[in-house]
Amino acid sequence: MFVPGMDSAREAAGGVAGTVLMRFVWPHGGRSVFLSGSFDRWTRLVPMSPMEGCPTVFQAICSITPGFHQYKFLVDGEWKHDEHQPCSTTDYGVVNTVLLPGEANYNPIVGPEMALGSGMELDNETFRRVVHVSDGTATDVVPRISEADLQVSRHRISVFLSTHTAYELLPKSGKVLALDVDLPVKQAFHILHEQGIPMAPLWDFSKGQFVGMLSALDFILILRELGNHGSNLTEEELDTHTISAWKEGKAYLNRQMDGHGRAFSRCLIHAGPYDNLKEVALRILQNEVATIPIIHSSSEDGSFPQLLHLASLSGILKCICRYFRHCSGTLPILQLPICTIPVGTWVPKIGESNRRPLAMLRPSASLGSALNLLIQAQVSSIPIVDDNDSLVDIYCRSDITALAKDRVYTHININEMTIHQALQLGQDSYTPYERLNQRCQMCLRSDTLNKVMERLANPGVRRLIIVEAGSKRVEGIVTLSDIFKFLLG
């Protein structure tokens, strides 16, 4: 456990009385290695440096107090313990242990390797500050990638996206649902609910074209109109109110009218199967939409279009992860903890007034307040938290389709129904634990960018809630859009 030959210097430990310098060693290789331990309450990750002439052995020097300590290592994004050193099983999983006597001249070196148990407790300060040891002097720095490595990573991702096409997003088999613009919105509402999809392309038979998309946001706006005092749109009218009529009404609400009082005809945002993936991703980001249809026409005038697939950032991210999975070393940014890079929306710390606030609500808040917040904050989901800001559930735009079950929307007041009641619709078969784990995809601030990308590439996952381990207190949220804005610069 302890390696002789290194002088323990109480004075070198920053002048802190009762502390000594200890050298921790990880002899089992890796690309990036960090140390974390109970000696600083698991609140920091200390970067470890390869030893000169021995690149598979990493070391770090820490100032710690005498006594019993536990520690683990983060090796290439995975927690590990050193099986050749004393260890024990605790609430943090398997950890290495060290008993440091009180004599100041006891000179120790500790070697650890660590396999993360899911119970590893990392609080909200993890990765925020690390100690960098150089020439025996400890200084506080924030680990960050160099500008050169960042540009190299972005360039390689850009080259990959520019040389691969949307055709690669097409599944081997599947179906894509489209709706007729002359369909009543009430019927469309039920179709989306029954099919379990949040949006669908719109087909206009008279024009022989796909002309738009109907999404969960449309139904949020419709329900708000139904709930507004004096609204001209009643539930009975939904039986005859067509999608095209709603789209025109929506344009009027958004003041998208020309000088003659007619709605602007907004072109459908779409892609072709041979457009490159970078063009598709930028189109999604620039137009602030979740998906765009991939449409192909064999004629020059675009007649007889074929709807092939709905492209999303999730599908593109899956292509990136698959391509770089076995050569991730060519992208230096992948091993960075997400808290050290400008990605996601975080709960502002005390004194930080320039950060965009993270929208959160209590389960007792009204459904109407949730719908208003989804629109006003221009977000697709809201974490639902308890009085301690611990994650309870999440309310997404697509959850609005649950109100189509048994035509619930016809006999509720969205300002009287609570978020908790709304979330219970269609979720009664799940226990609260199952619902939290199935609906709320979570990560830690210490998770690497690579790990976050892999999880966001899974079908149906559009965001990860960043939580504090153990308490599940919400610290932030990272979305697919956040990842692509960072990757594409």
Side-chain angles (χ1 to χ4, degrees), residues 182 318 324 335 344 395 439 479:
D182 293 326
K318 188 174 182 178
F324 289 100
Q335 298 308 319
Y395 195 86
R439 290 174 46 79
T479 67

Side-chain angles (χ1 to χ4, degrees), residues 338 344-345 381 383 391 394 440-444 447-449 451-458 461-467 476-480 482-483:
I338 57 169
T345 302
S381 61
L391 186 65
I394 187 168
C440 306
Q441 299 292 323
M442 296 171 283
C443 68
L444 302 177
D447 285 341
T448 63
L449 176 61
K451 183 176 181 180
V452 168
M453 288 169 55
E454 289 280 359
R455 296 187 63 183
L456 282 171
N458 291 325
V461 179
R462 290 189 58 193
R463 83 283 299 168
L464 295 179
I465 309 299
I466 307 165
V467 299
I477 188 168
V478 57
T479 67
L480 283 163
D482 294 330
I483 296 296

Side-chain angles (χ1 to χ4, degrees), residues 391-411:
L391 186 65
V392 175
D393 212 318
I394 187 168
Y395 195 86
C396 309
R397 286 182 184 178
S398 56
D399 287 324
I400 198 69
T401 60
L403 298 185
K405 181 182 179 182
D406 302 324
R407 300 175 67 219
V408 170
Y409 64 88
T410 64
H411 53 270

Side-chain angles (χ1 to χ4, degrees), residues 353-409:
S353 58
N354 58 338
R355 277 194 178 183
R356 177 186 178 186
L358 178 63
M360 295 187 288
L361 288 173
R362 302 282 188 261
S364 58
S366 71
L367 176 59
S369 65
L371 301 184
N372 290 337
L373 191 54
L374 285 171
I375 295 172
Q376 294 167 3
Q378 296 182 325
V379 294
S380 62
S381 61
I382 304 169
I384 309 302
V385 298
D386 61 16
D387 293 339
N388 297 317
D389 288 343
S390 295
L391 186 65
V392 175
D393 212 318
I394 187 168
Y395 195 86
C396 309
R397 286 182 184 178
S398 56
D399 287 324
I400 198 69
T401 60
L403 298 185
K405 181 182 179 182
D406 302 324
R407 300 175 67 219
V408 170
Y409 64 88

Side-chain angles (χ1 to χ4, degrees), residues 120-155:
M120 177 66 180
E121 193 79 26
L122 293 176
D123 76 5
N124 61 323
E125 296 302 314
T126 300
F127 275 128
R128 191 149 66 99
R129 298 168 67 239
V130 299
V131 173
H132 173 69
V133 179
S134 176
D135 300 327
T137 304
T139 56
D140 289 338
V141 298
V142 177
R144 61 180 67 246
I145 194 170
S146 69
E147 184 64 25
D149 282 345
L150 177 60
Q151 294 306 322
V152 166
S153 298
R154 283 176 170 169
H155 174 71

